[in-house]
Amino acid sequence: MIQCYSFAFRFPIVEPDSGHTKLQLAREGLEAIERIESPVAVVAVIGPYRSGKSFLLNQLLSLSCYEGFGVGHMRDTKTKGVWVWGTPLKLTIDGIETSVLYLDTEGFESVGKSNVYDDRIFALATIMSSVLIYNLPETIREADISRLSFAVELAEEFYGRSQGKDVAFEPAKLLWLIQRDFLQGKSVQEMVNDALRQVPNDDASFFVVQVNQIRQSLAIMGNNSTAFSLPQPHLQRTKLCDLEDRDLEPAYVKKREKLKDLVASVTCPKIVQGKPLNGKEFVLFLEQILEALNKGEIPSTGSLVEVFNKGILEHCLKLYNERMDKLGLPITEQSLQQAHDESRLEAMEVFGNQHFGRHHAKQSVDKLDEDIQKTYKTFLLANEYQSSKLCEALYSRCEEKMDQLQVLRLPSMAKFNAGFLQCNQSFEMECIGPSKASYEQRMQKMLGKSRSLFIKDYNHRLFNWLVAFSLVMVVVGRFVIKFILLEIGAWIMFIFLETYTRMFWSAESLYYNPTWHFIVGTWETLVYSPILDLDRWAIPICVLLAIFVLYWRCCARKKRGARLILPLYNHRNGTNRRSRSD
């Protein structure tokens, strides 16, 4: 089913630059294509300049020269770049309405152009078309075979994976269209077969080997190509635009209609990675092609693969980054390496399922692996930084803790050891990553130094505390609670501490005495335990005891006759006795 809507004219979509070496987009024409929402198919005509490509397209579109593509009768080429007929034909293909665009391309081998420019035009038409009509006058030349080498490379690179779901984009149907004055002799298919026959190479010429490789590859592509002959429409070719169908050769009109049916039968939507393209997607596809073709001095399959894979590379690298970002640094080096290997494998698998190209894709794989390794190095540096930051914070916290333990009001070896153990355990558990080893060494040095300083000062401070404590107890037993046994015990303790150090010339000798060890054990039991930390509660406890003593003395005065169980001090006169509360 074919429908045609006339709502636009021809317009360029690709134009040559000022130097006529590279191609650039014609944005105005592309805006019309972007509005097409249905799948797009492209029929492109290529061939030498002045070979009748524009006239052929007008015949396929049933248009006159004054309605359709411009036809030149001068020696210079009429079409510059790539032009499209703005009225797409509507074909129903497999039950889906498809918009078919007809493209006219600038002819090869015209004066004032470089061969590179011709190669870009040919490559562009080869890649973006669904049906590629190679319009040849009279016969197939060796130059035509060589030019198809690019199509062969594309077939091997992109179309070699065309079985099942692993499809880059489907190749164009190649239609060899040979126009000649006489149809006698060999058929067109025989001409194509003869042109693709291997050339004898008795001298093992490298050039002939390359030519035969192209012929062999084109022969393999035979299932994707069709040969068709078309007689000349009229002897006076300069008047073709002024002639109607009744004035043309009947054989030509008959073959032309068969050609229309043939083109319609082989036309299919442009498929890229298993998905038919609509107008907007086709324009994006065209932009990728031009970027690839203009990238190098000579258009190559490798540069094309690289550009087409650029978006996939970015997606895979982003996938790697997203997975690695979820780690939550810092982590151990082994965990980071394992996460890197798993994320890299996942990114490589995604690339392997989506990438373009077979042979040149290895360059893209290497590029992806190189980018992943660079990104991994940044994660290594970030992990090292975060590890150093965390371990430094833990080290500073422990250092501050050790400093606090050095200046305890009531020195306690048990409390120091508990703080020492807690600090060491928290560091071991929380400090992770590559910086842990170096900070462990610093930590051990700092803890060892703190422990040595504490032990060195511990006995001396405890000795001073015990001397002060014994004097305080003497005062308390004598004047506060007037308990003679408490006072006597305090005096004994004071005398022992002072006389022992004087007899043995130094306080250090006391620290090895079993009595001192007993005193230290008793002190540690009183000062610190998991339930009561006397260093923290000493002042509140002393305040409470002072209040209790004052309260007790006040109550004792009110009860003068009460019996006391504490020993009483005798009055100096020996006549009167008074209770302790007096």
Side-chain angles (χ1 to χ4, degrees):
M1 176 181 178
I2 302 178
Q3 297 176 335
C4 183
Y5 303 95
S6 57
F7 55 82
F9 301 98
R10 65 185 181 92
F11 46 79
I13 58 173
V14 176
E15 297 175 323
D17 63 0
S18 57
H20 220 97
T21 57
K22 294 186 177 182
L23 302 172
Q24 59 189 14
L25 295 174
R27 182 55 58 183
E28 182 179 355
L30 295 177
E31 291 176 355
I33 297 178
E34 286 178 333
R35 292 193 291 267
I36 300 176
E37 297 180 356
S38 59
V40 172
V42 178
V43 177
V45 179
I46 61 173
Y49 85 108
R50 306 292 298 133
S51 61
K53 298 186 300 300
S54 300
F55 179 79
L56 173 64
L57 279 168
N58 291 334
Q59 291 291 294
L60 294 176
L61 291 167
S62 301
L63 299 171
S64 68
C65 298
Y66 306 103
E67 297 173 324
F69 291 99
V71 177
H73 300 298
M74 306 299 292
R75 293 303 299 172
D76 59 338
T77 180
K78 185 72 175 179
T79 302
K80 302 290 184 181
V82 179
W83 289 64
V84 63
W85 180 246
T87 305
L89 295 181
K90 299 294 182 178
L91 289 181
T92 301
I93 302 175
D94 296 332
I96 301 175
E97 185 182 71
T98 305
S99 299
V100 184
L101 300 175
Y102 281 79
L103 302 185
D104 190 12
T105 63
E106 187 170 351
F108 307 144
E109 303 168 355
S110 64
V111 180
K113 298 187 306 178
S114 64
N115 291 333
V116 174
Y117 178 79
D118 287 347
D119 292 339
R120 287 192 170 97
I121 290 290
F122 179 84
L124 178 64
T126 301
I127 298 168
M128 70 177 178
S129 61
S130 305
V131 178
L132 182 64
I133 302 177
Y134 200 166
N135 186 50
L136 297 172
E138 302 298 336
T139 187
I140 301 175
R141 302 170 300 168
E142 188 63 39
D144 301 321
I145 300 296
S146 299
R147 184 168 284 114
L148 286 172
S149 62
F150 189 84
V152 171
E153 287 186 28
L154 291 177
E156 293 179 346
E157 192 72 23
F158 289 97
Y159 313 143
R161 302 183 301 154
S162 59
Q163 295 182 355
K165 299 180 180 179
D166 194 18
V167 177
F169 53 79
E170 292 183 357
K173 301 291 184 180
L174 177 61
L175 177 58
W176 301 81
L177 179 61
I178 302 177
Q179 302 185 38
R180 32 183 204 158
D181 294 329
F182 305 98
L183 296 177
Q184 291 81 6
K186 294 182 180 180
S187 67
V188 178
Q189 189 61 54
E190 289 175 339
M191 293 177 62
V192 172
N193 294 337
D194 289 343
L196 298 182
R197 187 173 289 115
Q198 296 285 303
V199 177
N201 189 17
D202 298 332
D203 298 332
S205 170
F206 177 73
F207 173 76
V208 177
V209 170
Q210 288 183 317
V211 170
N212 284 334
Q213 286 178 347
I214 296 173
R215 281 172 160 77
Q216 182 179 1
S217 299
L218 285 173
I220 295 174
M221 294 175 59
N223 294 334
N224 204 47
S225 64
T226 303
F228 194 87
S229 64
L230 193 64
Q232 295 294 337
H234 198 273
L235 293 178
Q236 296 181 336
R237 299 186 61 183
T238 58
K239 297 182 179 180
L240 289 177
C241 289
D242 301 322
L243 301 177
E244 298 181 0
D245 279 0
R246 62 176 179 271
D247 302 321
L248 300 177
E249 291 290 338
Y252 168 79
V253 175
K254 183 177 180 180
K255 293 284 286 186
R256 182 196 66 190
E257 296 304 314
K258 289 184 178 180
L259 178 61
K260 288 182 181 181
D261 294 337
L262 175 61
V263 172
S265 66
V266 297
T267 300
C268 61
K270 188 62 184 177
I271 304 293
V272 176
Q273 288 190 320
K275 176 185 176 183
L277 303 182
N278 58 25
K280 189 173 183 179
E281 293 166 339
F282 176 76
V283 171
L284 293 176
F285 182 64
L286 178 59
E287 290 175 349
Q288 285 183 294
I289 298 173
L290 283 187
E291 181 183 355
L293 296 180
N294 290 330
K295 184 177 181 180
E297 294 182 0
I298 299 176
S300 65
T301 307
S303 62
L304 189 69
V305 170
E306 185 178 346
V307 171
F308 271 97
N309 285 334
K310 183 173 67 174
I312 302 174
L313 285 173
E314 293 175 354
H315 170 70
C316 293
L317 190 61
K318 181 180 179 182
L319 181 66
Y320 172 84
N321 277 299
E322 288 177 349
R323 176 156 182 172
M324 294 293 285
D325 285 337
K326 296 178 180 178
L327 294 178
L329 303 179
I331 58 176
T332 62
E333 294 175 287
Q334 295 79 5
S335 299
L336 185 62
Q337 179 67 46
Q338 182 180 357
H340 160 71
D341 293 338
E342 293 175 354
S343 301
R344 175 183 174 276
L345 180 60
E346 181 180 351
M348 288 296 185
E349 287 179 352
V350 172
F351 181 82
N353 294 331
Q354 299 182 3
H355 77 274
F356 290 86
R358 299 174 62 197
H359 309 295
H360 292 86
K362 187 179 184 304
Q363 300 176 6
S364 299
V365 172
D366 295 339
K367 178 68 167 56
L368 175 60
D369 196 27
E370 181 182 351
D371 291 342
I372 287 178
Q373 292 300 331
K374 289 180 179 179
T375 306
Y376 176 55
K377 289 181 180 179
T378 63
F379 277 101
L380 286 173
L381 293 175
N383 189 47
E384 185 174 352
Y385 170 75
Q386 294 295 336
S387 175
S388 176
K389 185 178 178 181
L390 175 62
C391 293
E392 178 66 30
L394 293 171
Y395 175 85
S396 299
R397 187 176 71 184
C398 286
E399 189 175 36
E400 183 179 355
K401 179 72 173 178
M402 292 297 102
D403 291 341
Q404 292 174 356
L405 292 175
Q406 293 288 344
V407 293
L408 292 174
R409 288 187 294 268
L410 300 177
S412 171
M413 181 64 72
K415 184 173 182 179
F416 181 87
N417 290 337
F420 182 94
L421 181 62
Q422 179 185 5
C423 192
N424 199 22
Q425 288 179 343
S426 64
F427 181 85
E428 286 294 328
M429 293 177 59
E430 299 178 29
C431 178
I432 56 177
S435 299
K436 182 174 183 178
S438 60
Y439 273 90
E440 274 184 338
Q441 296 178 357
R442 291 180 58 188
M443 188 73 175
Q444 294 303 322
K445 290 181 180 180
M446 185 270 292
L447 292 176
K449 184 178 179 180
S450 297
R451 189 180 186 89
S452 298
L453 291 175
F454 182 84
I455 293 175
K456 182 179 180 180
D457 193 49
Y458 172 74
N459 288 315
H460 181 67
R461 291 183 62 198
L462 180 57
F463 178 85
N464 293 335
W465 263 105
L466 291 175
V467 171
F469 177 75
S470 62
L471 293 176
V472 170
M473 290 298 101
V474 168
V475 174
V476 171
R478 177 74 175 179
F479 300 104
V480 179
I481 64 175
K482 298 183 178 181
F483 185 25
I484 191 172
L485 295 180
L486 179 62
E487 181 184 357
I488 294 172
W491 277 115
I492 293 174
M493 182 176 179
F494 176 79
I495 294 171
F496 170 78
L497 294 173
E498 289 296 326
T499 57
Y500 190 92
T501 55
R502 297 296 185 271
M503 291 173 61
F504 295 94
W505 302 102
S506 66
E508 284 74 8
S509 60
L510 172 66
Y511 306 150
Y512 299 97
N513 191 293
T515 305
W516 175 257
H517 292 168
F518 173 78
I519 294 173
V520 169
T522 305
W523 171 268
E524 290 290 342
T525 304
L526 294 174
V527 171
Y528 179 78
S529 69
I531 300 175
L532 177 64
D533 183 3
L534 197 58
D535 186 73
R536 178 180 298 179
W537 297 101
I539 295 177
I541 290 175
C542 289
V543 172
L544 291 176
L545 287 175
I547 295 174
F548 173 76
V549 170
L550 291 175
Y551 175 78
W552 175 75
R553 287 182 61 84
C554 292
C555 291
R557 287 177 180 177
K558 295 179 180 179
K559 301 178 181 179
R560 294 179 181 272
R563 183 181 177 182
L564 300 177
I565 61 174
L566 294 178
L568 300 177
Y569 280 91
N570 293 327
H571 193 270
R572 289 183 178 270
N573 296 330
T575 56
N576 296 326
R577 298 174 67 91
R578 61 177 180 177
S579 65
R580 179 176 167 181
S581 60
D582 291 336

